[in-house]
Amino acid sequence: MKIGFIGVGIMGAPMAGHLLAAGHELAIYGRSKRPVALGAATFCLNSREVTEKSDTIILMLPNTPDVETALFGADGVAEGLTPGKLVVDMSSISPVATKAFAAKLADLGCDFVDAPVSGGEVGAKQATLSIMAGGGAEAFARARPLFELMGKNITHVGDAGAGQVAKIANQMIVALNIGAVAEALVFASRAGADPAKVREALMGGFATSRVLEVHGERMIARTFDPGFRIELHQKDLNNALESARQMGLALPATATGQQLFSACVAQGGAGWDHSALVRAIEVMGAHEIT
C-alpha cells in the first residue's frame, strides 16, 4: 500500500517503521529531521505532498490544533485529497473536534477513522499498542491490517469520535493509578519500609498493575525522562474535564489528578515523564522516596 505518515516523533517514528518493515511504500512528514530508522521512506515537504503520494494517510500528532492544521491548514491533507482516500488519526485529541473533522472529510468523499493508542513508547517500539478506533465499519476494516502491524489489542469502539472517548477514559484511569502508586510508595518510604520491597510485594496481589510495574520502578529509580510527557497527559485530562463540563458530569478524582500534574509543571516538569507526578506528592509530604 501507499501510506503517508504525518508526525514521526517518539511514538510516530517506530509506528511508521513497522509499516515500512512490512513492505509498504511510505511517505512521511514531520517537523524534525527524518529518523534514521525511516531512511527508506520518502521525506515530504508538507502534509499535502504526503497525501498526494498516498492512498491512506496516518496522523500521529500532539494535540487538537496540530491535527486541525495538518488536515485543513495551508498545504494540509485536505489540499491533497481525492475521493476514496482513507485518513486515520492516531493522535489523542478532543472527541468533539474529531467528529467535526470526520464530517469535513466525509464531504470530500474520504473515509476517516480516529484511532488513538495506549502503550507509550515501549508499546510503539514493540508493536504492542492498544488501539481504540472510531468510525464506520468499512473504514475500520480498511485500516485494521495496518493497525495489526502496530498493535495487539485492537477494538472498534463505535462511530467517529468513539475512539477518542475510549482514550480519554484510559488516560483518566492511568493518571489516577499513577497517583495511587505515588502515594503508596511515598507512604511506604516515609514509614521506614523499603519502597522497592513494598512494590515487589504488591506486584503479587490485587493491587498489581502495569503502572505499579513500570512507573513504580521509575519512581523508585528516579528515572523521569519521557516516556509520556506530563504536558501531554494534562492535555488528555483537559479534554476529559472539558467534555465532562459540557455534559454536566462531575469528575472529582480526575480534577485532582490534573492539579497534581499542574504542581509538577510549576516545578518545571512539563517535559517530565508522567510517572514524575510522584514529585508533587513528595513536595506536599516533605519526603522524597529513598
Side-chain angles (χ1 to χ4, degrees):
M1 294 174 60
K2 294 182 178 180
I3 302 170
F5 208 107
I6 300 168
V8 285
I10 290 175
M11 295 287 290
M15 292 165 66
H18 297 310
L19 303 177
L20 191 63
H24 294 293
E25 187 176 331
L26 193 67
I28 62 174
Y29 172 66
R31 292 182 230 180
S32 55
K33 295 180 180 179
R34 171 167 43 190
V36 174
L38 301 179
T42 300
F43 194 81
C44 299
L45 296 176
N46 50 52
S47 298
R48 174 184 53 77
E49 185 181 351
V50 167
T51 305
E52 291 172 343
K53 294 179 180 294
S54 309
D55 298 316
T56 297
I57 303 92
I58 298 173
L59 296 88
M60 188 61 179
L61 298 169
N63 209 339
T64 304
D66 302 302
V67 174
E68 184 171 20
T69 298
L71 288 175
F72 305 111
D75 289 320
V77 170
E79 294 185 6
L81 284 174
T82 52
K85 292 193 176 186
L86 171 64
V87 178
V88 179
D89 181 23
M90 303 189 77
S91 318
S92 296
I93 66 168
S94 163
V96 175
T98 292
K99 291 178 183 179
F101 298 162
K104 287 184 179 181
L105 293 169
D107 289 341
L108 296 174
C110 296
D111 283 338
F112 174 81
V113 175
D114 58 292
V117 304
S118 178
E121 183 181 5
V122 172
K125 288 181 176 179
Q126 296 179 352
T128 57
L129 293 168
S130 290
I131 301 174
M132 302 153 249
E138 291 185 6
F140 173 72
R142 290 178 65 184
R144 182 167 189 129
L146 302 181
F147 294 157
E148 290 174 346
L149 298 173
M150 296 181 281
K152 295 296 183 186
N153 182 30
I154 302 163
T155 305
H156 184 204
V157 181
D159 293 335
Q164 297 296 348
V165 170
K167 178 57 188 288
I168 287 174
N170 179 87
Q171 295 302 81
M172 291 164 61
I173 293 170
V174 170
L176 299 184
N177 203 350
I178 290 173
V181 170
E183 289 193 15
L185 293 181
V186 170
F187 167 79
S189 177
R190 182 65 180 83
D194 181 346
K197 290 294 185 181
V198 170
R199 171 183 166 276
E200 182 181 341
L202 297 179
M203 287 292 293
F206 200 56
T208 190
S209 69
R210 184 68 171 156
V211 168
L212 178 62
E213 178 188 355
V214 176
H215 292 329
E217 184 176 20
R218 280 177 172 266
M219 293 173 193
I220 294 166
R222 321 303 291 172
T223 53
F224 297 131
D225 294 333
F228 187 75
R229 300 193 303 275
I230 281 176
E231 62 186 344
L232 294 180
H233 208 145
Q234 277 198 303
K235 173 259 299 182
D236 294 331
L237 296 190
N238 280 338
N239 284 332
L241 294 169
E242 176 58 22
S243 297
R245 185 193 64 79
Q246 293 174 4
M247 294 185 289
L249 182 67
L251 301 176
T254 299
T256 299
Q258 183 71 302
Q259 290 301 308
L260 292 172
F261 280 137
S262 293
C264 292
V265 172
Q267 299 177 57
W272 296 342
D273 184 77
H274 56 172
S275 60
L277 179 148
V278 69
R279 289 186 170 180
I281 305 297
E282 292 172 336
V283 167
M284 288 190 290
H287 178 81
E288 183 176 301
I289 292 175
T290 57

